[in-house]
Amino acid sequence: MVGETTKSERTPLLPLRHEQGDFFVCDIFDAAPKGDMASMAHPIFTLSTKPDTKKRRYEAPDGESYVEIRPNMIGLATMHDRDVLIYCISQVMAALKDGKQVHRTLRFKAFDLLVATNRPTAGTGYAGLKSALERLQGTQIETNITTGGVEQIDGFSLIDRYRIVRETRDGRMLDLEVTLSDWTFNAIAGNDVLTLNRRYFQLRKPLERRLYELARKHCGTQPEWKCGLEKLKARTGSTSSEKEFRRLVRAICKADEEHDHMPDYTFRLLADVLIVTPKQVFLDHYAPAPKQERVSGAYIIPLSPETLERAREVAPTWDVSVLADEWRSYAARQKEPPKNPDRAFLGFCRSWFAKRGRNGY
């Protein structure tokens, strides 16, 4: 696919188009960019940079959940179109952090989004943003995947609607209104989101962005995550041949080894297995407390993002953060910390739900 092609003469990262001092966008960089875990786990967005009009369907190994993506005539939403959703999710999460009331419809300035997502603010940036909105609204999804404890089995768009509130005479949009889909808003309400590195917006290749998302989703703060190329190809949504996909992944791993450009994680290809390990600076930020350190009578035991997502399925309607606090307090009363924290926490959630049912917080 054209969007996955590597060129050795280009630098691995896009230039940082705006100085840090330029960021004045609703404190978005206090909360950091965030993506919803459902679309991080599943290949919703195309890796191609040319119009992709192919319908796709992905099913879970157990056959119980599925995602079907249907483009309209202008093509599927792309990995770079996802920037709009990341920006919107980040704005809502920042508002929630400040105790503000939030709605599915957001109003913001187009310039702010372009700056926050490292896009050009010239005419091409506004034209690209308008095309991204059209593809996001036109891409239809049917799924029974749960977000925020709510299962949807109907079809919907990535965004329900968008509206250009004001537009300058030269065609540049000023104010935008975007209405998020219930699927995305449910993910926000259920805190089914993960913080992304700001350098994500500098990743040049769609496949690099997708690999980072998968690492963030499946590796988290675990020591290592491995994935065979066959399964990785399905998870990325790549339509390249197996040989070409192997070449593309190998090229990204080589560039990362030479330039250390991939955020938060190190990517290495051994035979036909991608090995992902978190970088120390990432671990220091997200899991600074030792596993056996006591704080206020409880062990601070980090749990992987994948485990927290699984806990929402094991104990639906219950607040996972509350369950995590309860479990850590329980673990602190034991003589020894659990050998496998993630497995122990899920067992605790199953027992909790069996005793208390669906009367969640």
Side-chain angles (χ1 to χ4, degrees), residues 5-192:
T5 303
T6 59
K7 294 184 179 180
S8 58
E9 66 269 16
R10 294 195 300 182
T11 58
L13 292 175
L14 291 170
L16 189 61
R17 294 187 172 99
H18 313 284
E19 294 296 329
Q20 190 72 15
D22 291 342
F23 293 125
F24 56 90
V25 191
C26 299
D27 298 326
I28 181 177
F29 285 92
D30 289 339
K34 296 182 184 292
D36 65 291
M37 288 194 281
S39 59
M40 292 172 74
H42 303 277
I44 304 295
F45 301 88
T46 179
L47 299 178
S48 177
T49 55
K50 288 188 174 181
D52 187 345
T53 57
K54 182 181 178 182
K55 182 175 73 172
R56 301 175 186 181
R57 182 182 176 95
Y58 305 97
E59 296 187 2
D62 58 11
E64 294 183 359
S65 61
Y66 70 90
V67 176
E68 186 168 285
I69 305 104
R70 306 165 186 158
N72 64 6
M73 61 184 299
I74 63 174
L76 291 169
T78 70
M79 279 300 299
H80 286 84
D81 295 344
R82 178 165 167 71
D83 292 356
V84 176
L85 280 184
I86 292 174
Y87 179 83
C88 291
I89 292 171
S90 304
Q91 296 285 46
V92 175
M93 293 300 294
L96 286 172
K97 181 181 178 182
D98 291 340
K100 298 177 181 178
Q101 188 174 5
V102 297
H103 305 275
R104 286 201 303 127
T105 299
L106 292 77
R107 183 165 179 166
F108 52 86
K109 296 198 176 295
F111 177 82
D112 292 350
L113 184 149
L114 295 175
V115 170
T117 57
N118 197 44
R119 289 169 171 247
T121 53
T124 55
Y126 290 92
L129 176 55
K130 188 171 184 179
S131 297
L133 291 167
E134 291 173 352
R135 285 188 293 266
L136 287 167
Q137 200 277 330
T139 298
Q140 296 288 309
I141 295 177
E142 181 178 292
T143 182
N144 63 346
I145 290 176
T146 299
T147 59
V150 177
E151 183 184 48
Q152 291 186 192
I153 315 178
D154 58 340
F156 55 93
S157 300
L158 288 169
I159 59 174
D160 277 1
R161 65 186 295 270
Y162 70 90
R163 185 160 68 101
I164 300 173
V165 182
R166 296 168 57 197
E167 192 167 4
T168 59
R169 292 182 179 179
D170 61 359
R172 297 185 185 183
M173 61 185 76
L174 295 181
D175 292 349
L176 285 178
E177 282 186 2
V178 172
T179 301
L180 300 174
S181 67
D182 286 335
W183 194 56
T184 300
F185 200 70
N186 286 338
I188 297 172
N191 200 30
D192 293 345

